[in-house]
Amino acid sequence: MVSLKKVLLLFAVILFTVNPFRSVAQEAHSHGETSSSEEIEAHIQHHLKDDYYFNFFTDSKTGKNYGFPLPVILIDGGLKVFSSGEFDHGKKVVYKEGNYYKLYHGKIYKTDAAGTITYDDKHHPTNAKPWDFSITKNVLGLMLAALLLFIGFMSLAKTYKNGSNVVPKGIGRALEPLVLYVRDEMAIPNIGHRYKEFMPYLLSVFFLIFLLNILGLTPLGLNVTGNISVTLCLALFTFVITNFKANKDYWKHIFWMPGVPVIFKFVLAPIEVLGLFTKPFSLMVRLFANITAGHTVVMGLIAVVYLLQHQLTVVGSVSVSVLLTLLLFLLELLVAFLQAFIFTMLSSLFIGMAVEEHSHH
């Protein structure tokens, strides 16, 4: 069985050897100068943003990108499907069925044959944008996470079919303690006897967020939970489930709070209604902000190490880089679990408040 030390060492080596800032440092060293803060910021933003290309790394000498293009799916007077490689990283205009399209700052716009982009007074593009259903890097990350979860839980389900006392094997052995943790520490204490009704959602959201956060620590450059559109969708699921499953006591406490003077009921009702929306909003912003901030700090610190390595000895540079990367990875691993825990715990708490039976005397 592979030990934990070997796994952590493997991650440290991978993160050290396959690093988006290495090419920047090498190029700066060859010119005898350090890269500017703008270069560091550009590389951090490249790691954090969504993209139509799955780019692993760029050769600093030739400028060649190593990766693969993803499919572009547009609805603009009909369905248009083509490879994002036709954009050549935004350098070319693509002609499809009477329309011209250009990739500009991570978004696809309709243009003329020359690829002209017009701007308003605030320097925002005024070109029309088609309906975009493309398979971007974040979408591919979601698909990968869904596939891995499906494989893992199918393995766990097959074990349970053989009997409840059978010890899971393989990946199921790692999943079962987390499943029991979600059930015993989140669902049952917060929801009560109706916990089984909401376990599928709580397990799905916990493992999805946790796995996406883990994938964000790999050299793949995925930052799915750092995309506010993804966290918005997850928060909306909690919002819909909470309010559609809420009982009459829950709505009574919102619109006509029992046990308080009538005049205060009119004051409390708007506050409670506002709380319906601030709860999912906090879920959305908390996950997005923490993951984005964590990735930015990690990438920034690793960038500093690589940009300064030509001023250090070779042995010292490698030692500092590996040690710092390993410590940061362990910290981000804790954050990955913590954010999945917080989102699931608060979701179960909100659902429990909505389905709780109140007794009024």
Side-chain angles (χ1 to χ4, degrees), residues 43-356:
H43 278 74
I44 293 177
Q45 291 300 325
H46 175 73
H47 175 80
L48 296 178
K49 72 176 184 178
D50 198 6
D51 202 351
Y52 291 90
Y53 300 85
F54 206 106
N55 189 33
F56 294 107
F57 65 94
T58 302
D59 192 328
S60 60
K61 295 181 179 179
T62 63
K64 183 178 180 180
N65 297 293
Y66 291 89
F68 56 90
L70 297 170
V72 175
I73 305 173
L74 304 177
I75 297 180
D76 186 24
L79 181 64
K80 298 176 176 61
V81 181
F82 56 94
S83 171
S84 61
E86 297 187 34
F87 286 118
D88 192 20
H89 294 271
K91 298 176 183 177
K92 294 183 179 180
V93 179
V94 176
Y95 175 78
K96 293 293 176 181
E97 301 176 9
N99 292 319
Y100 293 93
Y101 301 100
K102 183 177 181 180
L103 181 62
Y104 181 73
H105 285 188
K107 296 181 180 180
I108 297 176
Y109 296 91
K110 295 178 66 174
T111 66
D112 55 18
T116 305
I117 300 291
T118 58
Y119 306 92
D120 58 15
D121 295 337
K122 297 182 179 180
H123 202 68
H124 295 155
T126 59
N127 298 61
K129 291 189 292 184
W131 288 95
D132 193 351
F133 296 91
S134 303
I135 306 298
T136 61
K137 188 168 66 173
N138 282 348
V139 175
L140 187 63
L142 283 169
M143 292 180 175
L144 176 61
L147 177 62
L148 294 176
L149 290 177
F150 178 79
I151 294 173
F153 279 100
M154 284 298 294
S155 174
L156 185 60
K158 288 180 180 179
T159 302
Y160 287 147
K161 285 183 179 180
N162 298 326
S164 58
N165 295 325
V166 178
V167 178
K169 297 180 180 180
I171 189 64
R173 184 173 296 182
L175 292 176
E176 186 182 46
L178 292 175
V179 172
L180 296 178
Y181 182 80
V182 172
R183 184 194 69 181
D184 298 337
E185 301 297 330
M186 302 183 202
I188 295 178
N190 292 326
I191 301 177
H193 66 279
R194 292 182 60 184
Y195 77 94
K196 291 183 179 180
E197 186 178 348
F198 304 98
M199 275 296 290
Y201 172 69
L202 296 177
L203 288 175
S204 298
V205 73
F206 174 81
F207 282 99
L208 179 64
I209 294 175
F210 185 42
L211 182 56
L212 289 174
N213 291 346
I214 294 297
L215 291 176
L217 300 177
T218 65
L220 296 177
L222 296 172
N223 185 37
V224 182
T225 46
N227 187 315
I228 198 165
S229 299
V230 176
T231 61
L232 171 62
C233 289
L234 293 174
L236 283 177
F237 275 115
T238 298
F239 174 77
V240 171
I241 292 174
T242 300
N243 290 284
F244 272 81
K245 289 293 184 177
N247 56 32
K248 61 180 181 180
D249 286 333
Y250 176 76
W251 294 113
K252 186 176 182 180
H253 275 74
I254 290 178
F255 292 104
W256 200 251
M257 182 74 70
V260 298
V262 175
I263 188 172
F264 288 109
K265 292 182 179 182
F266 290 102
V267 176
L268 291 175
I271 299 176
E272 292 293 330
V273 171
L274 181 62
L276 293 176
F277 301 97
T278 56
K279 292 174 183 176
F281 180 79
S282 67
L283 288 177
M284 174 190 70
V285 174
R286 181 183 289 106
L287 179 59
F288 162 74
N290 281 282
I291 296 301
T292 301
H295 283 190
T296 303
V297 171
V298 169
M299 297 294 289
L301 289 177
I302 295 177
V304 171
V305 172
Y306 276 98
L307 292 175
L308 296 180
Q309 68 177 347
H310 67 281
Q311 297 179 357
L312 306 172
T313 64
V314 175
V315 176
S317 175
V318 172
S319 301
V320 171
S321 300
V322 172
L323 180 60
L324 181 59
T325 302
L326 180 59
L327 293 176
L328 292 175
F329 173 78
L330 292 175
L331 179 61
E332 279 295 289
L333 188 62
L334 175 62
V335 173
F337 173 81
L338 188 61
Q339 291 306 314
F341 166 79
I342 292 175
F343 194 99
T344 310
M345 173 65 79
L346 291 178
S347 295
S348 65
L349 181 62
F350 297 155
I351 293 172
M353 293 169 59
V355 301
E356 181 185 2

